[in-house]
Amino acid sequence: MNSIMRGILAVVIVAAVLGLGIYIGRRGPAEQAAQAPAAAEQQPQAKKPATEVPTVARDPYQRSLAIFEFRKAADAGVDRGREIFYYKCWFCHNEFAEGAPKLTGVYSRGKLLSGRPATDDGIKDEIRNGGAGMAAYKYTLSDSDLDDLVAYVRDKCCWDSKSPPPNPRYRGGNEE
């Protein structure tokens, strides 16, 4: 028997042994259903409400989590909204883009291009549901994200590429 045949035979034997082990170790649906109530009786557990989110200890030095949650610049408010604007909105709503409306002074216009009112609720609705040429962010941004984003658009909009916001972690320069 040559080496190729021995290799094939070894693979077939290993596959057969693994398959046999899986077949012997599996349980049928009737056995699983019978064992499920017994297991539940052995370990009673308190049910958690479906809306409860487990709290996880946060590592303050894990900067990627702060970036993922848009909390690098601030935990809440206008500065956090500016960060969300940069990651989600700026690439279309900037001074270089053509076609997307500029957001500077959006509240003074009365209505958005979609016909929604230029109010906090109208802008949140526009961001959630999108529009012609605009992506919908209802599955991406939470209500607190939208609150912070709209606060930024209302109070300090918009991003200036020639004067980006300062890096909150930078400690150089003229510190005392």
Side-chain angles (χ1 to χ4, degrees):
M1 190 186 291
N2 64 18
S3 63
I4 295 174
M5 292 300 288
R6 275 187 258 139
I8 292 173
L9 182 62
V11 169
V12 169
I13 290 173
V14 168
V17 168
L18 286 174
L20 183 62
I22 291 171
Y23 179 76
I24 291 171
R26 77 172 181 88
R27 297 186 307 240
E31 293 172 351
Q32 289 176 354
Q35 289 179 352
E41 290 173 6
Q42 291 174 356
Q43 296 179 349
Q45 295 179 357
K47 289 188 175 183
K48 294 182 180 178
T51 58
E52 185 179 321
V53 177
T55 55
V56 178
R58 295 178 51 117
D59 182 1
Y61 298 107
Q62 185 177 355
R63 292 177 62 187
S64 61
L65 185 60
I67 293 168
F68 179 73
E69 294 178 342
F70 309 114
R71 296 184 192 281
K72 190 174 65 167
D75 284 335
V78 175
D79 287 335
R80 182 168 180 259
R82 180 185 62 206
E83 184 175 354
I84 296 169
F85 181 86
Y86 176 70
Y87 284 118
K88 297 292 183 184
C89 310
W90 180 84
F91 53 88
C92 290
H93 298 280
N94 64 59
E95 64 270 22
F96 309 111
E98 294 180 16
K102 306 295 184 251
L103 298 181
T104 306
V106 70
Y107 281 88
S108 63
R109 295 180 197 155
K111 287 192 175 210
L112 303 174
L113 292 177
S114 64
R116 293 182 178 106
T119 61
D120 285 354
D121 291 333
I123 291 174
K124 285 180 189 178
D125 191 43
E126 183 81 15
I127 295 167
R128 273 190 203 102
N129 300 313
M134 181 174 163
Y137 288 100
K138 63 182 162 186
Y139 299 115
T140 307
L141 297 176
S142 68
D143 287 337
S144 65
D145 295 340
L146 288 173
D147 291 340
D148 294 339
L149 178 58
V150 168
Y152 171 71
V153 171
R154 182 183 59 242
D155 296 341
K156 292 190 177 181
C157 191
C158 284
W159 190 279
D160 181 9
S161 297
K162 294 179 183 173
S163 177
N167 182 346
R169 296 186 183 272
Y170 179 67
R171 291 192 166 75
N174 298 329
E175 286 189 12
E176 294 181 21

